[in-house]
Amino acid sequence: MIFIDACNRKQTPYTPIWMMRQAGRYLSEYREVRLKAGSFLDLCKNTELASKVTLQPIDILDCDAAILFSDILVVPLEMGMKLNFVKNEGPKFETCIRSEKDFSILQNNIGSKLSYVYDTISVIRSKLSKQKALIGFCGAPWTLATYMVEGEGSKTYANCKKMLYTNPKLLHNILQSVSNELKSYLESQIKAGVDSVMLFDSWAGALEPSSYFEFGFNYIIDISKYIKSKFPNIPIIVFPKGVGGYLHKFVDIKAYFDVFGVDWETSMAYAKEVLGDKYVLQGNLEPMRLYNENSMINGIDEIVSIMGKKEGHIFNLGHGMLPDLPRENAIKLVQLVKEKTKR
Ligand code: CP3
């Protein structure tokens, strides 16, 4: 598998590519299945349909890895927080965790309640070509905690950050309890057949560096250490979005992951200089460049000229693709990256 070879810094015939949110609303095939499934969560829980939409971008775009179709929020959902996806507003929990009493309602050892995810993984793996990797994932504890404390998406993360400074013990308790669930969740995903796992810390950039290490990245290290000790051959990808201002702080840590996801706000040249020897880098085309072919080509050329046609790089966007993206442009991106990085 080209993608797994690249994670292990082995030579590949070209730089492998996949895209965050590659299965989604910009594909009419996805919208059709989504309609059939009912709600977004119904789709996540429907093994047959979730495996179908996971495979769509492989057939349509020919990317080198499929990412499991699910959502990071199924973990707090199964810990007992009722969840709805409200059209045009995003996810909303019916309750939120703001006190010790709220925290006490969260359930532990929820692994078996997520069996629909593991079933989907085995179906996908049985249908996916052996050349293509399947990526499993979870949200990182900090990003999940922002949703659990706020009850929904947020611009300021005010409640969660207030908790961090006024009741850090409670926040650590939440983070620890989520981390425990994530360890066995990822473990079960690997046993079900994923070839690699990725931890999404989408809201890492909400914190100052010292707080991020204490409340965010330390939990990622702890989870990856656990997974590496049990599955040394499964590459781990981390994506702490918004930490480009202090990449040097990620050099001198004992890391248990293989690939560092670079967001679009960070210059790839800077990421390569600081982190390129230590981690394989994944990223980081600004997703908005896909709306104009020239902008897209210039963006690809810049990244390829920095990362070179050699090992140490996995091509991706610097964050997820948007629902109104013309699919032809996504198809073109995959073609161009393969052509332009051919060894
Ligand atoms: O293709 C893939 O990348 C795999 C599937 C995937 C989804 N969500 C599907 C999805 C993955 C890996 C995620 C992760 C996720 N979910 C993150 C971390 C990555 C990131 O984008 O930062 C976060 C923060 C979430 C939480 C979440 N889920 C939000 C904020 C939303 C609403 C977004 C929106 O644009 O409406 C979702 C819903 C969601 N997750 C959709 C998809 C395809 C859209 C739902 C729909 O079809 O109506």
Side-chain angles (χ1 to χ4, degrees):
M1 287 180 204
I2 290 180
F3 173 84
I4 297 297
D5 285 346
C7 292
N8 291 321
R9 221 185 264 277
K10 289 193 187 139
Q11 284 217 17
T12 51
Y14 56 85
T15 302
I17 171 169
W18 70 279
M19 283 174 262
M20 286 187 263
R21 290 273 167 97
Q22 65 189 15
R25 288 163 290 186
Y26 75 102
L27 294 175
S28 55
E29 293 87 342
Y30 169 84
R31 295 196 299 270
E32 228 169 81
V33 176
R34 167 88 159 72
L35 208 64
K36 208 161 101 187
S39 73
F40 171 67
L41 281 175
D42 289 336
L43 175 54
C44 293
K45 291 181 184 180
N46 185 319
T47 297
E48 187 208 332
L49 298 183
S51 56
K52 200 166 172 174
V53 293
T54 302
L55 295 168
Q56 284 172 348
I58 300 297
D59 297 335
I60 298 166
L61 310 176
D62 197 25
C63 26
D64 296 288
I67 179 157
L68 163 71
F69 189 85
S70 182
D71 199 83
I72 61 169
L73 299 179
V74 296
V75 170
L77 166 73
E78 301 303 353
M79 289 176 84
M81 299 183 69
K82 287 212 175 82
L83 172 66
N84 297 297
F85 282 83
V86 185
K87 203 171 161 66
N88 302 323
E89 285 182 59
K92 278 199 193 323
F93 286 106
E94 287 179 17
T95 46
C96 44
I97 311 298
R98 302 255 171 101
S99 65
E100 276 79 5
K101 185 160 172 271
D102 299 335
F103 175 63
S104 70
I105 68 122
L106 292 178
Q107 294 161 34
N108 304 123
N109 303 318
I110 56 151
S112 61
K113 292 167 84 184
L114 288 155
S115 58
Y116 51 88
V117 175
Y118 320 136
D119 293 344
T120 302
I121 290 170
S122 10
V123 174
I124 301 167
R125 198 51 275 181
S126 70
K127 293 188 175 165
L128 184 63
S129 146
K130 297 236 169 357
Q131 319 301 324
K132 311 275 189 185
L134 176 59
I135 304 171
F137 71 90
C138 67
W142 161 252
T143 288
L144 290 177
T146 65
Y147 286 99
M148 294 165 79
V149 174
E150 302 295 334
E152 59 188 341
S154 165
K155 286 207 169 74
T156 60
Y157 313 93
N159 294 294
C160 199
K161 289 174 70 172
K162 272 182 209 164
M163 186 187 289
L164 187 154
Y165 294 106
T166 60
N167 192 354
K169 188 161 174 277
L170 175 58
L171 184 57
H172 273 306
N173 286 342
I174 298 172
L175 293 163
Q176 190 59 59
S177 133
V178 169
S179 293
N180 294 344
E181 299 306 320
L182 294 176
K183 286 178 190 168
S184 59
Y185 183 46
L186 291 180
E187 190 174 351
S188 302
Q189 290 189 28
I190 294 168
K191 286 181 180 155
V194 301
D195 306 293
S196 169
V197 292
M198 174 153 166
L199 286 90
F200 286 88
D201 214 353
S202 305
W203 314 134
L207 294 177
E208 57 184 317
S210 59
S211 296
Y212 180 59
F213 278 99
E214 183 183 346
F215 293 88
F217 209 71
N218 280 349
Y219 288 94
I220 291 187
I221 293 176
D222 181 44
I223 295 168
S224 34
K225 183 177 180 184
Y226 176 85
I227 297 295
K228 255 308 161 217
S229 72
K230 293 210 148 178
F231 307 98
N233 297 325
I234 296 287
I236 302 174
I237 311 164
V238 305
F239 180 54
K241 185 173 180 295
V243 302
Y246 55 99
L247 288 187
H248 59 282
K249 293 202 185 269
F250 293 85
V251 179
D252 292 330
I253 52 173
K254 178 108 181 75
Y256 298 89
F257 55 88
D258 308 275
V259 182
F260 194 100
V262 183
D263 59 36
W264 58 265
E265 296 112 305
T266 307
S267 126
M268 206 61 175
Y270 171 59
K272 184 186 177 197
E273 185 190 322
V274 181
L275 299 177
D277 291 338
K278 181 153 179 166
Y279 311 110
V280 169
L281 300 180
Q282 175 173 277
N284 77 341
L285 188 72
E286 151 69 278
M288 290 296 170
R289 281 190 180 263
L290 267 69
Y291 289 85
N292 176 288
E293 190 164 330
N294 278 333
S295 312
M296 177 169 90
I297 292 172
N298 293 340
I300 301 171
D301 286 343
E302 194 188 339
I303 294 173
V304 173
S305 75
I306 294 163
M307 296 311 296
K309 298 184 188 183
K310 49 178 194 242
E311 53 291 358
H313 184 215
I314 293 163
F315 207 100
N316 204 312
L317 304 177
H319 201 189
M321 37 211 294
L322 295 182
D324 65 348
L325 181 82
R327 63 193 279 146
E328 299 72 38
N329 303 17
I331 295 171
K332 184 96 200 202
L333 171 66
V334 176
Q335 277 171 358
L336 284 173
V337 168
K338 288 185 182 177
E339 270 166 39
K340 285 172 183 282
T341 60
K342 200 159 178 237
R343 319 305 195 217

